Amino acid sequence: RRVHGNQLPPAAGHHVGVAGVVLNDHGEVLVVQELRGPAAGHWKLPGGLADRFEHIADAAVRKVREETGVDTTFGALCCMMELPSRGPSRAASSDLYILCWLRPLRPDQALTAQASEIAAVRWMPPAEFLRQPFLRRPSSYRRALECALAVASGRESGLLLTYETQPFPGSELVTLLSPRL
């Protein structure tokens, strides 16, 4: 609905979720098991919702540190999925789920599960991760994970996120997605 002649649509109704794809020196992926919720009992990538106005890269690094204790730095955006709204608290919205490749800052970091949310954290071979029952059949989620693992292992390039101010009056900070060359 347009208000007072404004041609812009109403505010977006998206929730932004991020997940970190972190590989160690042995090519194993960092995974977690949640204490409760639909993913409890399954290994998944560490991640969660970005805070309001939080940059995607910062959110991914923060969520991995909170859930696993592993300090990382942003490498590239791997892929993005749009998911329909889930549950009454998210009516009339959608979720944007963004998978980010993150590099561990140190190879010998101790794994520490976030006591309030995470039951377990570990390094797992990617093939074992993808053999979980809910990932055995083709799906867009499995494809997103395969794409993310390809970026993290260097087989695909992913996208860089560049935060910059535009060079014209009244400019604001913008995010530029570009191929990682």
Side-chain angles (χ1 to χ4, degrees):
R1 190 180 85 147
R2 313 272 185 221
V3 178
H4 304 292
N6 184 344
Q7 295 303 304
L8 296 174
H14 300 295
H15 295 273
V16 178
V18 295
V21 182
V22 184
L23 297 183
N24 65 14
D25 290 342
H26 305 288
E28 298 167 313
V29 64
L30 184 62
V31 293
V32 298
Q33 280 188 343
E34 292 185 349
L35 282 172
R36 56 194 148 285
H42 301 287
W43 292 104
K44 68 174 206 77
L45 298 174
L49 290 175
D51 290 335
R52 190 172 184 194
F53 303 117
E54 186 175 26
H55 291 291
I56 293 165
D58 296 340
V61 167
R62 176 182 59 81
K63 290 305 296 181
V64 167
R65 184 182 333 98
E66 287 175 357
E67 293 188 358
T68 69
V70 175
D71 289 315
T72 60
T73 185
F74 180 81
L77 189 146
C78 301
C79 61
M80 181 182 79
M81 297 172 56
E82 182 178 10
L83 308 166
S85 63
R86 294 179 277 171
S89 67
R90 295 187 182 178
S93 70
S94 62
D95 287 347
L96 300 177
Y97 183 62
I98 302 168
L99 282 74
C100 300
W101 165 47
L102 306 177
R103 296 182 203 100
L105 291 180
R106 294 175 312 284
D108 58 347
Q109 296 180 70
L111 301 180
T112 306
Q114 182 182 22
S116 61
E117 293 183 25
I118 303 300
V121 58
R122 69 174 276 213
W123 294 103
M124 179 182 285
E128 181 182 343
F129 177 59
L130 293 172
R131 279 196 304 267
Q132 294 181 90
F134 77 101
L135 291 174
R136 285 193 187 138
R137 59 186 154 84
S139 68
S140 57
Y141 183 64
R142 182 185 170 96
R143 177 69 186 120
L145 291 171
E146 290 170 338
C147 176
L149 289 166
V151 171
S153 67
R155 296 189 320 271
E156 295 291 341
S157 65
L159 295 172
L160 290 179
L161 294 176
T162 305
Y163 303 110
E164 59 187 37
T165 302
Q166 292 298 304
F168 48 84
S171 65
E172 296 182 17
L173 189 69
V174 297
T175 303
L176 170 68
L177 296 173
S178 60
R180 186 171 60 107
L181 303 173

